[in-house]
Every structure is written in structure tokens, then in C-alpha cells.
């Protein structure tokens, strides 16, 4: 479980590159950028399939898995772009980023899962740190004029948390299926682009490299890693640790010279790191299986 959780967290680390690479990609409209990068992400899955064990063709994929996967990947991006068109970016982003908290809370409804106080408190600390990052230390100004945009952002949070939780109900479905979720998202994004946007392609090698980087990592390999994490890892820890994405993204921007370091960033770092550590408390305190079995053998021998 620990290895799968780390693989899942690698997706969070890759998502931290999203802001920097998106900024470097130029003025490509969002649905077109989504279509291109998810096409690259599909290629990542096709290449990975060459090195994975062949899937059991006799085992059919339940229809609801397709609905969950496509709604999760395409639906999230569709409603996120819609939210940004209809509400201020700060408030919309913060509402959309409620999904880690929803994952932690929703995990209590999953079979075999137990929600502990440290998971909830850890997620709330992460949320507090995210508020500092997203608002830049300023206040929030929710305006009734933007209620539609706020609602779309809330749908984003609900869709991605639902996708993550429901994926866990199908652990036997191989991660390779994410390849086709990416392909469907690319096609649907292209349809939206043709209907809603004007075509603006990346300009020059630097912007094309940024688009390639997006497709290989934040909009490619990250989704495959996330699938492994939510299906086989500790989903409460993974949910709370996901609040590290905006922090890591800000640190990447600082390293690239796009943003300036500040005490606000330091405070957010303390909150998010402390929240993630608190959520993962059970992993740190858990005794290794071998040690537990050895103790049981010793006890049985002493009683003989």
C-alpha cells in the first residue's frame, strides 16, 4: 500500500508543473491545449502498454467504468474551463480545489476504509495552506454575479473526488484503461474547441516543448500514477497530501523566477506539510507485518 501511495503522490508532484508549463505554452486556448496534451497523454499510455503485462481479454470492463473515467478526466476540465470563464480565477480555483478534502471525507463511505480524526484535520490544514497560496494572503470576495461560475467550480471538485473514490471500487480494472479515457478526453476537447474557440497554435519550439511536457507529465503520466494510487494506496493520506500541489507549483514558479518567495509561502508550507504528515500518521506508526507476525509466534511459543 505504501508504494502505491507514493506512486499516487508522484501524480501530485507532476501536477505541480502544470502552471509553469501552461504559462510557457503561450496563448493556446484551453480546449485546444487540452486536446493536444491529452493526445500526447494517450501516447504515453500506448507506449506504457508495451511494457505492461497483457490485460485479461476475457474480463470485460463494466460500462460504468467508462462513464466514471471519461466524466472524471473530460468533465473536470470542461467544468473548470467553464468556471474560469464565469468567475474570478482565485475564487473558482479555490472552490475547485476542495476535491482533496472531499476525497478524505468521502473515503469514509468506501468498503474497508476507516476515517480517523487525523485524516480530517490533516486535510483541513492542507486546505488552509491552499487558501494562503491561492489568495496570495488577501481576502476572498464571493460575488452573487458569479454564482454560475462558482457552481461550475464546485462541480469540478465533486467530479474529480467522485472519479478518484469510485475508481477504487474497481481495483481489478487495469490502469492501462486510462489510455482510452485520455483518448476520449482529447476527442471531446477538440469538439469543444471547434465549437467554442478560435485556433491559436503554439508559437516556436519553446512553446511546443512546453506543450509536450504538459502531455508527458501533468496531463499524461500523472493520470496513470493517480489511478494506481487511488486503487491500491492509502486514499485518505493521498487526498490530504494532494494539497501539496499548489504549494509545489508555487515553489516551482519561484525556482523558475516567475514568483517571489515570502513568509506567506513559508506559512503555507508549514500548514500543508504538517497536514500531510498528520494524515499519514497511521503509516508512520504502523508496525511492519513481519514484526507483528514474529511477535505472535513468540507469544504462542511462550504459552506452550
Amino acid at each position: 500500500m505504501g508504494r502505491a501511495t507514493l506512486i499516487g503522490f508522484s501524480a501530485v508532484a507532476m501536477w505541480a508543473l502544470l502552471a509553469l508549463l501552461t504559462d510557457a505554452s503561450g496563448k493556446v486556448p484551453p480546449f485546444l491545449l487540452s486536446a493536444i496534451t491529452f493526445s500526447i497523454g494517450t501516447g504515453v499510455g500506448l507506449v506504457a502498454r508495451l511494457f505492461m503485462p497483457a490485460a485479461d481479454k476475457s474480463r470485460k470492463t463494466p460500462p460504468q467504468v467508462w462513464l466514471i473515467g471519461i466524466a472524471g478526466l473530460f468533465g473536470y476540465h470542461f467544468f473548470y474551463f467553464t468556471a474560469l470563464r464565469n468567475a474570478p480565477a482565485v475564487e473558482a480555483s479555490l472552490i475547485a480545489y476542495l476535491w482533496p478534502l472531499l476525497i478524505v471525507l468521502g473515503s469514509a463511505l468506501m468498503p474497508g476504509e476507516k476515517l480517523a480524526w487525523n485524516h480530517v484535520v490533516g486535510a483541513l490544514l492542507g486546505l488552509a495552506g491552499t487558501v494562503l497560496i491561492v489568495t496570495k494572503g488577501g481576502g476572498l470576495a464571493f460575488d452573487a454575479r458569479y454564482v454560475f461560475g462558482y457552481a461550475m467550480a464546485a462541480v469540478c471538485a465533486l467530479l474529480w473526488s467522485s472519479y478518484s473514490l469510485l475508481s477504487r471500487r474497481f481495483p481489478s480494472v487495469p490502469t492501462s484503461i486510462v489510455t482510452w479515457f485520455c483518448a476520449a478526453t482529447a476527442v471531446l476537447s477538440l469538439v469543444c474547441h471547434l465549437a467554442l474557440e478560435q485556433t491559436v497554435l503554439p508559437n516556436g519550439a519553446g512553446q511546443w516543448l512546453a506543450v509536450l511536457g504538459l502531455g508527458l507529465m501533468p496531463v499524461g503520466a500523472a493520470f496513470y500514477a493517480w489511478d494506481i494510487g487511488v486503487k491500491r494506496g492509502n486514499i485518505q493520506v493521498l487526498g490530504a497530501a494532494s494539497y501539496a500541489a499548489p504549494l509545489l507549483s508555487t515553489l516551482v514558479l519561484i525556482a523558475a523566477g516567475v514568483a517571489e518567495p515570502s513568509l506567506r509561502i513559508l506559512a503555507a508550507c508549514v500548514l500543508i506539510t504538517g497536514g500531510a504528515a498528520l494524515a499519514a500518521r497511521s503509516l508512520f506508526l504502523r508496525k511492519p507485518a513481519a514484526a507483528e507476525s514474529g511477535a505472535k509466534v513468540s507469544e504462542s511459543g511462550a504459552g506452550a
Side-chain angles (χ1 to χ4, degrees), residues 92-175:
S93 297
L94 189 58
I95 294 171
Y97 221 82
L98 288 173
W99 64 261
L101 180 60
L102 293 178
I103 286 178
V104 173
L105 298 178
S107 66
L109 304 175
M110 303 297 289
E113 299 291 348
K114 183 180 179 181
L115 186 62
W117 68 268
N118 56 297
H119 298 136
V120 177
V121 175
L124 290 174
L125 286 174
L127 177 60
T130 300
V131 170
L132 282 178
I133 294 289
V134 175
T135 63
K136 298 181 180 179
L140 291 172
F142 291 104
D143 192 322
R145 291 178 298 168
Y146 305 119
V147 65
F148 177 74
Y150 298 153
M152 295 299 95
V155 172
C156 288
L158 186 60
L159 273 175
W160 190 252
S161 58
S162 298
Y163 164 73
S164 302
L165 291 167
L166 292 173
S167 293
R168 193 173 180 85
R169 289 183 173 271
F170 300 94
S172 61
V173 175
T175 293

Side-chain angles (χ1 to χ4, degrees), residues 196-219:
L196 302 170
E197 299 173 334
Q198 289 186 335
T199 300
V200 179
L201 292 173
N203 183 18
Q207 292 186 7
W208 276 111
L209 284 174
V211 171
L212 178 62
L214 280 169
L216 291 176
M217 290 185 288
V219 191

